[in-house]
Amino acid sequence: MRRVTVWYDGACPLCIREIALMRRLDCRDAVSFIDISVPAASCPLDRQLMLSRFHASVNGDIYTGAAAFAAMWRVIPVLRPIGHLARIPAVLRILEALYIQFLKIRPHIRKRFKPAD
């Protein structure tokens, strides 16, 4: 079984919820989740770059954006079909275009998920 490493922003309430869902769906424990909001966390790339986009690694290859999501989905049984569908270049291009649009509105969505002070 392939293992996937995912780096995420543990200071982002939206990201925390998404990662919590992925952990629940990862019934085979195939994904290692690394919170890079913690200064001691190891980052294979520039930390700010990794905080700005989703990154995942499979067998030493690092993916970003929609390709990173697809890599993670392929090892989570319930999401595997979507991950395999994303291997089709046209589908991956569409998913990446949607991801780029999401990144534009992410700061506004993030505000909605901020914990109450």
Side-chain angles (χ1 to χ4, degrees), residues 4 10 12 14 20 25 30 32 35-36 40 44 55 65 71 77 97 100 104-105:
V4 173
C12 167
L14 176 62
L25 296 176
S32 296
D35 175 1
I36 57 173
H55 287 78
I100 289 169
K104 291 177 183 177
I105 62 170

Side-chain angles (χ1 to χ4, degrees), residues 95-112:
L95 290 173
E96 181 64 20
L98 291 170
Y99 181 67
I100 289 169
Q101 294 306 308
F102 165 76
L103 289 177
K104 291 177 183 177
I105 62 170
R106 178 181 170 207
H108 304 290
I109 295 172
R110 246 178 105 158
K111 290 177 188 173
R112 296 177 147 255

